[in-house]
């Protein structure tokens, strides 16, 4: 999950001047299909970018690629709607099928699609993408384009459970561009060539603008999308309230402050777990008391989640659980009812019992330690992420009552991501992204699979296991779940995973985040509604914003 930063209110003044007059109409244009395009319109978005903006549209840069890279520029084969159990929506793909044993996947892609530079998109681009960079996997035995629209993938193990990741989270790139890139990780890709509805029009350190792709296969109703860089949560709220932002996802404690005029509407889907991420694995170089599971377990029962929900999130959040399933959506995959909810009230006595059983004793200051050294932990969050900052302070206070010393601090957003990805930290407030289908497999594969993590000092090349967590039984269960389409077998594998991660707690669940989206319903129609949740209306997500943009229309 990407959170929204906040710091300097002066940015709002500068942006309000820069935004003046940015929706002026222009003559109609003609699309590649020969139909008249709509008049020029600009939708202004704050998805979380801060200034100065660093241009990076590399789809392989999971943590630094700018918002809009995934979906509006680069597309997957299909769109999986995490708010729905409906079948995936075709994007570059037209249809797909699995062999009976799950080891062969046959994909039909759309014909007549062009890259934004006018070159034809074919099945060969899909084959190239799946064998390129971080998409490579030893399990893929062969990838063949049997013709311009057919891809046949053959794996050594069944791939049923990996469907949404393969078909919905793999951004397809053009072979004629990326085959010439020597080092894909060093490429910032300033002028991206994609199949999505948008191309990059302008960039600066304060904003960047997409314009409609003239080679896109369908009409693009919103001709320009301007992504703003704002360094203040309050500035973002002020610009939203005064009509200078049309779409954002951010935490606002009192949504009525921006929706009471009738121009802005809001939606709050509580899905993504907010956690305390720990650098958990001493064997991979993690340092600190948090590498002891007993310390993590004690923190888990020492914090008062009901107080956190009230004071840091004004009760706009949901209840997290240590199984990392989304309830009630994923109820069928919950193996143990006791894991359906993390403790909501603090249990100081239990925290002490856990620590004492692990050999810790209290000193004369009331803090637990071992060998004459107090437990002392650093908990950081990005400056201006007000809900995270407030939560961190409360967590430190609550842990202190249980004899666990935690020191909260804030850092700039730039100073936040590097230690998290490289493992140079003890505790950090951190958000996980919920699985996009009603199956928690991607959570377990992305965040808990030890074989794809890395030693401290390096970033994982696959997945987001920044906790450096590794457990042999969990790894085996993840692999078993990936290799079956049998619900009972998957639930057995998930039971192993859930029991182990609820004990080891490399990510200590806090709440289900308040994922608030705000959007301008006065000037634009077609937004998702409670009755039509065709996509999640958070602009910082992957792929979903592209679906939303294609459903919007400017009010004439």
């Amino acid at each position: 999950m990407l959170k929204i930063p906040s710091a300097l209110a002066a940015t709002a003044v500068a942006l309000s001047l820069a935004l003046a007059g940015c929706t002026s109409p222009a003559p109609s244009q003609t699309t590649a299909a020969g139909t008249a395009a709509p008049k020029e319109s600009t939708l202004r978005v704050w998805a979380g970018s801060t200034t100065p903006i660093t241009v990076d549209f590399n789809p392989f840069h999971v943590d630094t690629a700018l918002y809009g890279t995934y979906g509006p520029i680069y597309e997957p084969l299909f769109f999986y709607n995490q708010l729905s159990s409906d079948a995936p929506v075709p994007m570059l793909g037209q249809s797909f099928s699995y062999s009976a044993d799950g080891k062969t996947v046959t994909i039909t892609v759309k014909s007549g699609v062009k890259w934004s530079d006018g070159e034809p998109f074919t099945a060969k681009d899909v084959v190239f993408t799946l064998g390129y960079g971080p998409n490579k996997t030893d399990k893929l035995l062969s990838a063949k384009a049997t013709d311009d629209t057919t891809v046949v993938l053959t794996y050594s193990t069944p791939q049923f459970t990996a469907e949404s990741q393969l078909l919905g989270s793999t951004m397809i790139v053009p072979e004629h561009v990326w085959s010439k890139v020597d080092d894909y990780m060093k490429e910032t890709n300033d002028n991206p060539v994609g199949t999505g509805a948008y191309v990059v029009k302008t960039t600066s350190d304060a904003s960047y603008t997409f314009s409609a792709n003239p080679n896109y296969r369908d009409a693009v109703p919103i001709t320009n999308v301007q992504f703003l860089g704002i360094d203040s949560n309050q500035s973002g709220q002020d610009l939203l309230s005064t009509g200078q932002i049309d779409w954002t996802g951010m935490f606002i404690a009192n949504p009525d402050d921006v929706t009471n005029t009738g121009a802005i509407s809001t939606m709050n889907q509580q899905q993504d777990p907010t956690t305390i991420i720990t650098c958990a694995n001493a064997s991979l170089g993690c340092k600190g008391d948090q590498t002891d599971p007993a310390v993590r377990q004690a923190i888990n029962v020492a914090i008062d989640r009901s107080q956190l929900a009230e004071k840091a999130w004004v009760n706009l959040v949901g209840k997290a659980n240590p199984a990392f399933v989304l309830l009630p959506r994923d109820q069928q995959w919950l193996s143990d009812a006791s894991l359906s909810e993390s403790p909501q009230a603090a249990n100081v006595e239990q925290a002490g019992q856990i620590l004492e059983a692990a050999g810790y004793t209290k000193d004369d200051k009331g803090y637990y330690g071992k060998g004459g050294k107090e437990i002392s932990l650093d908990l950081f969050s990005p400056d201006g992420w007000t809900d995270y900052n407030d939560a961190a302070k409360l967590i430190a206070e609550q842990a202190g009552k249980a004899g666990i010393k935690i020191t909260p601090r804030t850092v700039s957003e730039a100073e936040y991501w590097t230690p998290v990805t490289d493992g140079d930290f003890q505790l950090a407030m951190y958000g996980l992204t919920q699985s996009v289908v009603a199956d928690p497999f991607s959570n377990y594969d992305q965040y808990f699979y030890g074989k794809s993590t890395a030693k401290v000092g390096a970033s994982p090349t696959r997945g987001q296991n920044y906790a450096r967590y590794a457990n042999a039984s969990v790894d085996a269960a993840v692999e078993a779940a990936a290799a079956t389409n049998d619900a009972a077998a998957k639930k057995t594998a998930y039971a192993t995973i859930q029991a182990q991660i609820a004990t080891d707690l490399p990510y200590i669940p806090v709440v289900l985040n308040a994922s608030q989206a705000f959007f301008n319903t006065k000037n634009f129609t077609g937004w998702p509604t409670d009755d039509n949740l065709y996509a999640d209306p958070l602009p910082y997500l992957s792929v979903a914003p592209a679906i939303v943009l294609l459903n919007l229309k400017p009010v004439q």
Side-chain angles (χ1 to χ4, degrees):
M1 179 198 69
L2 297 177
K3 289 288 298 175
I4 303 302
S6 57
L8 303 176
T11 305
V13 178
L15 277 170
S16 64
L17 296 174
L19 292 171
C22 69
T23 57
S24 58
S28 296
Q29 301 173 348
T30 303
T31 66
T35 59
K39 288 186 176 181
E40 189 105 356
S41 58
T42 298
L43 181 79
R44 297 157 300 187
V45 183
W46 183 32
S49 295
T50 55
T51 56
I53 292 172
T54 300
V55 176
D56 185 349
F57 296 105
N58 184 335
F60 303 109
H61 288 172
V62 176
D63 296 311
T64 58
L66 290 174
Y67 302 107
T69 300
Y70 304 110
I73 293 178
Y74 291 102
E75 298 177 297
L77 294 165
F78 296 87
F79 168 61
Y80 287 76
N81 182 1
Q82 65 194 80
L83 302 182
S84 167
S85 59
D86 293 343
V89 176
M91 294 188 78
L92 289 177
Q94 188 67 51
S95 62
F96 66 92
S97 62
Y98 277 70
S99 61
D101 63 3
K103 295 181 180 181
T104 301
V105 186
T106 302
I107 306 163
T108 300
V109 301
K110 291 180 178 179
S111 61
V113 174
K114 292 183 178 181
W115 294 100
S116 56
D117 62 359
E119 292 292 317
F121 158 80
T122 72
K124 292 181 179 179
D125 292 303
V126 178
V127 170
F128 170 79
T129 299
L130 294 177
Y132 187 78
N135 295 325
K136 292 180 182 178
T137 170
D138 293 339
K139 295 178 182 179
L140 181 60
L141 301 179
S142 68
K144 298 179 181 178
T146 57
D147 57 43
D148 283 350
T149 60
T150 306
V151 177
V152 179
L153 307 174
T154 304
Y155 291 87
S156 59
T157 59
Q159 296 296 299
F160 292 117
T161 310
E163 176 193 316
S164 65
Q165 292 173 279
L166 170 66
L167 303 178
S169 298
T170 304
M171 302 299 129
I172 308 303
V173 300
E175 180 179 11
H176 69 278
V177 173
W178 286 90
S179 62
K180 301 173 184 177
V181 175
D182 294 331
D183 188 338
Y184 72 91
M185 286 306 291
K186 292 183 179 179
E187 178 62 46
T188 57
N189 198 31
D190 295 7
N191 296 298
V193 175
T195 55
Y198 291 92
V199 294
V200 177
K201 182 178 182 180
T202 61
T203 61
S204 74
D205 62 359
S207 69
Y208 56 98
T209 301
F210 292 174
S211 61
N213 177 3
N215 289 307
Y216 190 63
R217 55 193 177 270
D218 296 313
V220 182
I222 306 298
T223 54
N224 296 289
V225 182
Q226 184 183 30
F227 291 85
L228 308 175
I230 302 174
D231 295 316
S232 166
N233 214 14
Q234 186 59 54
S235 297
Q237 182 173 338
D238 292 343
L239 291 172
L240 181 67
S241 301
T242 55
Q244 296 176 82
I245 293 177
D246 301 305
W247 188 15
T248 188
M250 61 186 294
F251 178 74
I252 297 180
N254 187 358
D256 291 343
D257 288 348
V258 295
T259 61
N260 56 16
T261 65
I264 302 297
S265 296
T266 186
M267 185 176 289
N268 181 9
Q269 301 293 331
Q270 299 160 346
Q271 304 171 77
D272 299 325
T274 291
T275 70
I276 304 169
I277 183 176
T278 76
C279 194
N281 196 332
S283 66
L284 290 181
C286 295
K287 296 179 180 180
D289 299 307
Q290 82 289 342
T291 59
D292 185 346
V295 173
R296 303 195 295 268
Q297 294 163 5
I299 294 171
N300 181 58
V301 298
I303 59 178
D304 187 335
R305 290 172 176 83
S306 61
Q307 185 186 62
L308 292 172
E310 178 184 358
K311 294 189 175 182
W313 285 282
V314 292
N315 290 323
L316 291 171
V317 293
K319 294 179 179 179
N321 62 76
F324 287 89
V325 294
L326 180 61
L327 299 175
R329 188 195 71 175
D330 301 340
Q331 186 66 49
Q332 66 168 318
W333 303 117
L334 183 66
S335 60
D336 183 344
S338 69
L339 303 180
S340 63
E341 185 179 293
S342 293
Q344 295 302 299
N347 191 328
V348 171
E349 182 180 357
Q350 185 180 4
Q353 291 170 349
I354 292 170
L355 291 173
E356 289 167 11
Y360 293 89
T361 57
K362 266 188 179 181
D363 60 17
D364 54 5
K365 297 178 183 177
Y367 289 110
Y368 278 100
K370 186 183 288 187
K373 182 178 177 292
E374 288 179 346
I375 296 172
S376 182
L377 296 168
D378 174 76
L379 171 61
F380 72 104
S381 58
D383 183 43
W385 294 14
T386 52
D387 49 346
Y388 274 23
N389 302 158
D390 292 344
K393 293 176 183 176
L394 289 167
I395 288 168
E397 292 174 5
Q398 295 166 356
K401 294 177 181 178
I404 304 168
K405 182 185 289 185
I406 295 178
T407 303
R409 65 185 175 94
T410 62
V411 297
S412 70
E413 187 175 8
E415 295 173 305
Y416 173 80
W417 290 109
T418 298
V420 167
T421 56
D422 289 351
D424 185 18
F425 72 99
Q426 294 180 333
L427 307 175
M429 298 298 299
Y430 185 77
L432 278 59
T433 302
Q434 189 58 256
S435 58
V436 299
V437 293
D439 185 326
F441 175 78
S442 66
N443 289 351
Y444 304 145
D445 180 61
Q446 289 289 303
Y447 298 107
F448 296 94
Y449 187 56
K451 293 182 181 180
S452 64
T453 194
K455 292 182 179 180
V456 169
S459 178
T461 56
R462 176 188 170 276
Q464 300 176 68
N465 186 353
Y466 300 135
R468 270 71 189 168
Y469 177 67
N471 181 284
S473 63
V474 170
D475 290 348
V478 169
E479 292 170 0
T484 184
N485 199 33
D486 180 82
K490 278 206 295 185
K491 189 166 183 178
T492 297
Y494 290 168
T496 298
I497 295 169
Q498 291 167 10
Q500 196 65 56
I501 65 176
T503 300
D504 293 343
L505 293 166
Y507 306 84
I508 302 171
V510 180
V511 295
L512 286 185
N513 190 57
S515 301
Q516 295 168 280
F518 296 89
F519 36 86
N520 186 333
T521 49
K522 177 182 178 182
N523 296 332
F524 300 92
T525 63
W527 299 99
T529 64
D530 289 333
D531 296 326
N532 185 16
L533 291 171
Y534 64 82
D536 194 315
L538 290 169
Y540 52 74
L541 294 179
S542 172
V543 186
I547 303 299
V548 173
L549 287 169
L550 289 172
N551 277 272
L552 298 182
K553 292 182 180 179
V555 174
Q556 299 299 321

